[in-house]
Amino acid sequence: MSDLVVRLLEDADVPGAAAALVEVHATDGYPVEGVAQPEAWIRPAGVVRAWVAEVDQQIVGHVAITKPEGERAVSLWQQQTGESEDSVAVLARLFVVRSVRKQAVGEGLMRAAMDYAKAHDFHLVLDVLTKDAAAIRLYERLGWRFIGEASHRFGADEQAPTKCYVWPAS
């Protein structure tokens, strides 16, 4: 593998990130909502920071930190700790194209987000579909702590079971 570069998302990166997202959806079914508007999905309202991963100057992955917007992981964390929503952000929209998996691309993206959270003194929470075992292994290996279960609702009354995690785990 060529050198991995993880850097902040720039406006010019959105089409490449969207193309990678469409590829991941085709191979993995992520996101379950589909990708009818992939560029909008990459850039939702409430993004605090977002990063892309590049290999050979091609975007192969993405992750974002967003402000809380009613996610079950946020409410679980607040119920367990009594912390305010101001001390929490959501790790979201992590994906890596299949051709570069097992090359630490996801870990590089996660570490960028975790470093940002540490520097800004807030906890990150996330939910992950229980079917996404590889992602769950990555989160747990990086020290994320399981805090409960929920359901991800999408489409016309569809839902899928999720696991919720927090970082740092303490």
Side-chain angles (χ1 to χ4, degrees):
M1 175 177 93
S2 298
D3 289 335
L4 168 66
V5 175
V6 175
R7 61 176 176 74
L8 288 173
L9 174 76
E10 299 173 3
D11 289 340
D13 298 324
V14 173
L21 174 66
V22 169
E23 181 180 333
V24 168
H25 180 73
T27 59
D28 301 314
Y30 177 84
V32 293
E33 291 88 354
V35 288
Q37 297 179 348
E39 291 188 12
W41 192 87
I42 296 283
R43 286 262 158 122
V47 170
V48 175
R49 280 280 195 275
W51 295 264
V52 291
E54 286 182 328
V55 173
D56 295 332
Q57 299 179 336
Q58 181 175 357
I59 294 175
V60 295
H62 172 273
V63 71
I65 294 175
T66 64
K67 295 176 184 174
E69 294 185 5
E71 293 87 356
R72 181 70 177 128
V74 173
S75 61
L76 280 170
W77 178 244
Q78 288 181 291
Q79 290 167 7
Q80 293 173 18
T81 64
E83 287 191 24
S84 76
E85 197 171 274
D86 295 339
S87 68
V88 181
V90 178
L91 187 120
R93 289 162 164 67
L94 172 66
F95 61 88
V96 174
V97 299
R98 185 171 283 177
S99 63
V100 297
R101 292 194 190 148
K102 299 193 185 288
Q103 297 177 26
V105 175
E107 181 174 342
L109 288 162
M110 292 290 297
R111 290 199 183 279
M114 292 159 53
D115 288 347
Y116 181 86
K118 184 176 182 180
H120 291 85
D121 197 31
F122 57 81
H123 283 91
L124 289 173
V125 297
L126 64 82
D127 66 9
V128 56
L129 295 177
T130 56
K131 74 171 186 68
D132 294 329
I136 291 169
R137 284 191 301 274
L138 173 64
Y139 303 143
E140 291 176 351
R141 186 170 51 79
L142 293 177
W144 288 66
R145 181 170 56 90
F146 175 75
I147 58 172
E149 296 179 343
S151 284
H152 178 73
R153 299 183 190 289
F154 61 99
D157 290 332
E158 294 182 75
Q159 60 181 334
T162 64
K163 291 185 171 192
C164 300
Y165 288 83
V166 66
W167 186 90
S170 60

